[in-house]
Amino acid sequence: MFEGLNLSDEEFQLYQKLIYDSVGINFTDNKKQLLVSRLRKRLEMTGLSSYAAYRRYVTDPNNAEEFVQMINAISTNKTDFFREPQHFDFLKHYVYPDLSKKKQVRIWSAASSSGEELYTLGITVMENFPNLVNQDIKILGTDISTKVLGEAEQGVYSEESVGPIPGLMLRKYFLKGQGRWEGHYLVKDELKKLIHFRRLNLMQPFPLSAAFDFIFCRNVMIYFDKPTREDLVARLAAQLLPGGYLFIGNAESLSGLKTTLKYVQPAIYRKVY
Ligand SMILES: C[S@@+](CC[C@H](N)C(=O)[O-])C[C@H]1O[C@@H](n2cnc3c(N)ncnc32)[C@H](O)[C@@H]1O
């Protein structure tokens, strides 16, 4: 057993600040137990015997890799294929008809987690762009967590997780696993090649030259406080092409934030200039 496995309120505050300053996630006081349970695994892995010792360890620049592991451990990665399906309906009816005529299309999923959102976007693009082969289309998937990015890049999903994908599309875009992959589905190359993966921290200036036709930044702002959201939305807006859209999660809203983006419908905003 480890000694000192209690996280004191004082130590918790130091973790709150460390996490907030580095990745923007706001571990409010009521989330102390959640943080304790997520950090415990890292204490066990590193063999460190107290939260204070672990914090000193991860903040040592020589242990940058453990800092990445800590972020992997504390982030919430819940996602699904075709999550919040009204966004994909909106794309199909109001966005894709124009984009399918453009030479170049750039799409960004800014907190893409384990890839379900990215591959859903890819499937809907392939289904709605009849001239795809003559277009230059890229979908960028970014996340802070190297763990989920690795899973996204691998593109292997359980039978349960592919449940929301309509049967016809599942057969068209996935290979059914056999042998040791029984019960799993692998994303086919033709879908995968639309997608690019990159680690990116939304709290830092975006190292991106592209301007995007639309950005998905869904179900991540709920972990950020208001000033962080306001700054992030301004930088996302700057990364959109004129007429481009920002999609956020259904549980999120930009109301009360200063932004140049115009409300279109719940969780959908547009850069109109
Ligand atoms: C709940 S998931 C949402 C996934 C997907 N967008 C969806 O709506 O289904 C939130 C994701 O945000 C990522 N995240 C949290 N803080 C981040 C940051 N500062 N920069 C980039 N990604 C971050 C987490 O690693 C996690 O994968």
Side-chain angles (χ1 to χ4, degrees):
M1 270 312 276
F2 297 97
E3 280 173 34
L5 270 190
N6 263 348
L7 179 62
S8 67
D9 286 346
E10 209 176 27
E11 190 59 34
F12 177 53
Q13 280 169 16
L14 293 170
Y15 271 102
Q16 283 176 308
K17 180 164 168 27
L18 174 65
I19 294 165
Y20 179 82
D21 289 348
S22 53
V23 290
I25 301 174
N26 190 17
F27 269 91
T28 45
D29 291 347
N30 60 346
K31 296 211 176 119
K32 183 173 163 185
Q33 277 321 307
L34 181 67
L35 184 67
V36 164
S37 68
R38 290 182 176 180
L39 285 179
R40 181 164 298 192
K41 294 186 202 101
R42 295 316 308 163
L43 261 75
E44 287 170 9
M45 290 298 292
T46 50
L48 291 163
S49 58
S50 73
Y51 287 98
Y54 182 73
R55 186 179 46 74
R56 284 192 294 275
Y57 185 81
V58 283
T59 48
D60 180 338
N62 294 321
N63 301 323
E65 179 46 33
E66 183 54 35
F67 196 86
V68 172
Q69 294 302 331
M70 180 185 81
I71 301 304
N72 289 352
I74 62 169
S75 57
T76 300
N77 310 116
K78 195 206 157 350
T79 187
D80 279 313
F81 287 101
F82 287 94
R83 184 180 194 183
E84 300 176 358
Q86 74 284 2
H87 286 162
F88 302 102
D89 291 340
F90 184 88
L91 286 171
K92 179 175 176 174
H93 294 294
Y94 301 106
V95 183
Y96 287 165
D98 287 336
L99 295 190
S100 63
K101 294 180 205 117
K102 280 183 75 187
K103 187 81 204 130
Q104 178 177 291
V105 177
R106 294 289 179 262
I107 298 167
W108 180 18
S109 163
S112 55
S113 191
S114 38
E116 289 85 338
E117 182 174 279
L118 281 170
Y119 293 119
T120 305
L121 286 167
I123 291 170
T124 60
V125 163
M126 292 191 76
E127 290 290 304
N128 291 284
F129 285 52
N131 199 23
L132 190 72
V133 285
N134 297 316
Q135 290 183 277
D136 166 19
I137 301 177
K138 287 197 174 92
I139 303 174
L140 173 66
T142 64
D143 202 283
I144 186 84
S145 163
T146 54
K147 178 174 176 284
V148 289
L149 274 176
E151 290 166 11
E153 207 158 356
Q154 194 186 27
V156 176
Y157 296 95
S158 68
E159 193 150 358
E160 192 188 349
S161 60
V162 298
I165 306 175
L168 208 64
M169 292 183 194
L170 187 61
R171 286 191 287 281
K172 205 163 153 188
Y173 298 109
F174 290 78
L175 294 168
K176 199 171 189 308
Q178 286 173 346
R180 78 181 181 99
W181 292 110
E182 182 85 46
H184 289 81
Y185 288 81
L186 171 68
V187 177
K188 285 188 186 173
D189 281 347
E190 56 180 309
L191 173 55
K192 214 180 226 181
K193 71 180 185 213
L194 281 178
I195 297 166
H196 301 258
F197 307 90
R198 187 163 171 180
R199 184 170 190 245
L200 180 147
N201 183 353
L202 291 169
M203 291 307 106
Q204 291 173 358
F206 303 142
L208 303 171
S209 51
F212 294 91
D213 292 281
F214 67 88
I215 299 173
F216 268 40
C217 186
R218 307 192 308 168
N219 301 301
V220 61
M221 279 193 266
I222 28 168
Y223 305 109
F224 301 156
D225 65 6
K226 189 177 167 194
T228 306
R229 289 202 304 270
E230 200 160 86
D231 172 66
L232 174 60
V233 169
R235 290 183 298 117
L236 291 170
Q239 211 74 45
L240 280 172
L241 286 166
Y245 291 91
L246 174 67
F247 295 80
I248 63 174
N250 280 343
E252 300 165 327
S253 158
L254 303 190
S255 74
L257 299 189
K258 275 195 228 94
T259 176
T260 52
L261 296 177
K262 296 287 171 261
Y263 172 87
V264 178
Q265 64 179 57
I268 304 178
Y269 295 82
R270 190 170 199 194
K271 180 167 174 168
V272 289
Y273 56 92

